[in-house]
C-alpha cells in the first residue's frame, strides 16, 4: 500500500461530521486536511524524524487542550504537533490550533489554515471548539515564545492566563507537552522586527545562514499526563496564576527530562565501539 493511501485512510477515520461535500460545520475540508497531511507526514517522518513520546495521554475522544512551549522561529512546532496527533494516535485526531492574526492576512495561508481547522486565537473560537469536544492546541507564550534566540531555546517566557480560565469554563483537561529541537532547527541569532513590520508579520528570525530555513534536526514531542483544574473561570487572578505556574512547571519538567534523555542517547552513541 502506498504511503499516501495509508494517510488518506487516516483522514477518512477522523471523527468529524463531514457533509456530502467533505466539509464540516467549521469549514474544515477533508481534501485540504488530506493534502496537508501528505506533505507534513513526509517532513515529520523523513526530514525531522520526529520522536513522539506519551501520545497515550491525549484523550481518544472528547475535549482537551494541548498546551506546550514554543520552540523555533517559525511554526515548525505547531505543524509537527498537529501531525503527531494524526499519525501517532489510533484512531487519529485532528488538533486545532489558535494561530496568530497575521496568518489570516495572506490569502493562501488564510485559506489553508481555515480549511484545516486552524483559526485565529480568539476566546470565542477556542471556547466553541472545546464545547464541541474538539482537541485544541495552545502555546501560552504567544509570539514571544517563537522569538527566543538560540541560547534561550529551552527557556520559557511568561505564559498568558487566558488558557486556564478557558479550561475551567469548559471543564477541559490540559495535556502539557514539551517540544524539543525547534531552536536548533532554526537557530535564531537575531529577530528583524522592522523587516517583519514591512512584511506584515511580527518579526523575521535571522540565522547564521541568514534565512530561517529549518535544518534537518531530529525533533521530539513529549506529552505528559493530563492536568485537571476545578473552578468556574471567574477566580481571582492569584488563583489563576497559581494554576498557570503549575502548568508551566510541568512543561519545564518535560523539557528537562527530554533534554536529559537526548544527552544520554548522544553519549551512548559516542561510547559504542
Amino acid at each position: 500500500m502506498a504511503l499516501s493511501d495509508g494517510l488518506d485512510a487516516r483522514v477518512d477515520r477522523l471523527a468529524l461530521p463531514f457533509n456530502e461535500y467533505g466539509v464540516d460545520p467549521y469549514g474544515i475540508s477533508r481534501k485540504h486536511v488530506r493534502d496537508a497531511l501528505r506533505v507534513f507526514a513526509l517532513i515529520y517522518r523523513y526530514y525531522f524524524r520526529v520522536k513522539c513520546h506519551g501520545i497515550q495521554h491525549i484523550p481518544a475522544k472528547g475535549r482537551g487542550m494541548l498546551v506546550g512551549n514554543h520552540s523555533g522561529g517559525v511554526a515548525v512546532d505547531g505543524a509537527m504537533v498537529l501531525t503527531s496527533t494524526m499519525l501517532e494516535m489510533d484512531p487519529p485526531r485532528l488538533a486545532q490550533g489558535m494561530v496568530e492574526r497575521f496568518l489570516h492576512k495572506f490569502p493562501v495561508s488564510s485559506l489553508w489554515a481555515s480549511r484545516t481547522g486552524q483559526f485565529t486565537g480568539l476566546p470565542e473560537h477556542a471556547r466553541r471548539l472545546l464545547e464541541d469536544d474538539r482537541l485544541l492546541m495552545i502555546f501560552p507564550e504567544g509570539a514571544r515564545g517563537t522569538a527566543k534566540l538560540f541560547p534561550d531555546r529551552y527557556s520559557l517566557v511568561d505564559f498568558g492566563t487566558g488558557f486556564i480560565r478557558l479550561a475551567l469554563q469548559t471543564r477541559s483537561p490540559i495535556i502539557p507537552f514539551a517540544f524539543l529541537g525547534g531552536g536548533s532547527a532554526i537557530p535564531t541569532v537575531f529577530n528583524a522586527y522592522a523587516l517583519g513590520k514591512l512584511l506584515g508579520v511580527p518579526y523575521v528570525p535571522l540565522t547564521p545562514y541568514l534565512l530561517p530555513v529549518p535544518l534537518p534536526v531530529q525533533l521530539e514531542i513529549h506529552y505528559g499526563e493530563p492536568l485537571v483544574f476545578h473552578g468556574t473561570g471567574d477566580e481571582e487572578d492569584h488563583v489563576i496564576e497559581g494554576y498557570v505556574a503549575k502548568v508551566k512547571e510541568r512543561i519545564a519538567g518535560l523539557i528537562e527530562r527530554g533534554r536529559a534523555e537526548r544527552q544520554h542517547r548522544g553519549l551512548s552513541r559516542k561510547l559504542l565501539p
Side-chain angles (χ1 to χ4, degrees):
M1 181 174 63
L3 173 63
S4 60
D5 293 337
L7 298 176
D8 292 353
R10 296 192 73 79
V11 174
D12 290 338
R13 293 177 63 199
L14 287 174
L16 295 179
F18 291 118
N19 61 19
E20 64 270 27
Y21 303 106
V23 179
D24 91 334
Y26 288 93
I28 299 172
S29 161
R30 180 189 281 122
K31 177 184 182 302
H32 284 80
V33 173
R34 181 182 294 126
D35 291 345
L37 183 61
R38 288 177 177 176
V39 174
F40 286 121
L42 291 172
I43 297 171
Y44 183 98
R45 289 174 171 167
Y46 303 114
Y47 191 78
F48 290 127
R49 309 177 313 284
V50 178
K51 288 186 176 294
C52 182
H53 308 269
I55 197 72
Q56 71 275 9
H57 295 309
I58 302 177
K61 59 182 179 179
R63 67 193 65 176
M65 296 171 61
L66 306 177
V67 178
N69 63 303
H70 255 320
S71 179
V74 296
V76 169
D77 48 10
M80 294 301 98
V81 168
L82 297 174
T83 306
S84 76
T85 64
M86 288 292 296
L87 296 183
E88 310 285 0
M89 294 187 70
D90 192 21
R93 290 198 71 178
L94 177 67
Q96 296 182 237
M98 295 288 97
V99 302
E100 297 288 344
R101 295 173 187 266
F102 74 84
L103 193 63
H104 287 275
K105 293 180 180 179
F106 308 103
V108 174
S109 62
S110 177
L111 174 66
W112 278 91
S114 61
R115 288 292 184 265
T116 57
Q118 316 309 311
F119 303 127
T120 304
L122 298 175
E124 55 266 33
H125 290 167
R127 182 164 184 163
R128 182 185 169 196
L129 288 167
L130 289 170
E131 289 176 344
D132 276 353
D133 286 338
R134 301 292 179 110
L135 186 62
L136 195 65
M137 178 184 68
I138 294 177
F139 292 99
E141 296 174 289
R144 295 168 300 158
T146 56
K148 296 169 194 167
L149 300 182
F150 181 75
D152 304 317
R153 61 194 181 281
Y154 292 116
S155 66
L156 295 173
V157 300
D158 290 339
F159 280 22
T161 59
F163 77 99
I164 287 290
R165 294 193 185 277
L166 180 65
L168 293 172
Q169 291 165 356
T170 59
R171 302 176 305 283
S172 300
I174 291 174
I175 301 91
F177 70 85
F179 188 86
L180 279 70
S184 298
I186 303 177
T188 304
V189 295
F190 179 77
N191 290 308
Y193 290 95
L195 178 58
K197 187 175 181 180
L198 290 174
L199 297 176
V201 298
Y203 59 87
V204 175
L206 300 179
T207 64
Y209 47 90
L210 189 59
L211 297 177
V213 177
L215 301 173
V217 173
Q218 186 170 63
L219 304 178
E220 293 189 24
I221 308 169
H222 294 257
Y223 292 105
E225 295 180 2
L227 296 169
V228 178
F229 300 106
H230 300 285
T232 64
D234 294 324
E235 286 75 12
E236 294 184 4
D237 288 346
H238 75 275
V239 175
I240 298 298
E241 289 167 0
Y243 291 156
V244 170
K246 290 181 180 180
V247 176
K248 189 174 183 179
E249 181 181 3
R250 182 67 62 86
I251 294 171
L254 290 170
I255 292 173
E256 289 309 309
R257 187 178 73 186
R259 290 183 66 187
E261 291 175 359
R262 284 166 73 94
Q263 291 172 355
H264 177 73
R265 288 197 299 271
L267 179 61
S268 298
R269 284 194 292 269
K270 290 181 180 178
L271 293 177
L272 289 175

